[in-house]
Amino acid sequence: MKKFVEEFKAFISRGSVLDMAIGVIVGGAFGAITGSLVSDVITPLLAVLFNSPNTDALNITLRAGSEGVDPIVLGLGTFIGTIINFLVIALVLFSVIKAINKARELAEKAKKKEEEEAAAEEEPKPTTEELLGAILDELKKKD
């Protein structure tokens, strides 16, 4: 049991687990933001198209409610709102990942350019043949 607890502590203290926890928290907050965008901005705009205060006009009542019996409603409006919410989240995540990849690509290009400039600034080193030729010339001068 002690070994299990030690392994669990090592697992939890890894940076990737902490990063994942932060990601879950930020993702929850992001979900609230996109949920608000869908329910408070996009859904009312769609409701205008259907001449209704919300997308409930798209719901289909399969059985009307009566005293003591709940109605059975096919919630197409709710489903459409969920799909829109998903699409907004997917679009934003796609944009963020695309921006991160572009930034990484630009950073790699800048680094490669710096390395090329540094290599160009260095004096070209003589080849083996040039060194041997210089040694031969020195030996000839001493004779």
Side-chain angles (χ1 to χ4, degrees), residues 30 34 37-38 42 82-100:
F30 183 70
T34 57
L37 173 67
V38 170
I42 295 173
T82 303
I83 290 172
I84 293 170
N85 193 12
F86 168 77
L87 292 174
V88 169
I89 290 172
L91 177 66
V92 170
L93 288 176
F94 173 76
S95 300
V96 166
I97 290 171
K98 191 167 177 75
I100 288 171

Side-chain angles (χ1 to χ4, degrees), residues 118-132 134:
E121 289 176 2
E122 291 180 8
E123 266 186 46
K125 296 181 179 175
T127 64
T128 305
E129 290 82 15
E130 292 173 340
L131 288 173
L132 289 174

Side-chain angles (χ1 to χ4, degrees), residues 1 13 19 28 31 34 37 41 47 52 54 58 73 75 77 88 94 99 109 135:
M1 181 69 172
S13 65
D19 292 343
T34 57
L37 173 67
V41 177
S52 171
N54 53 33
L58 299 175
V73 178
V88 169
F94 173 76
K109 282 183 181 178
I135 292 171

Side-chain angles (χ1 to χ4, degrees), residues 4-24:
F4 176 80
V5 172
E6 289 175 9
E7 288 177 6
F8 183 71
K9 282 182 183 178
F11 173 75
I12 290 297
S13 65
R14 286 188 191 140
S16 59
V17 174
L18 296 175
D19 292 343
M20 184 177 65
I22 292 169
V24 168

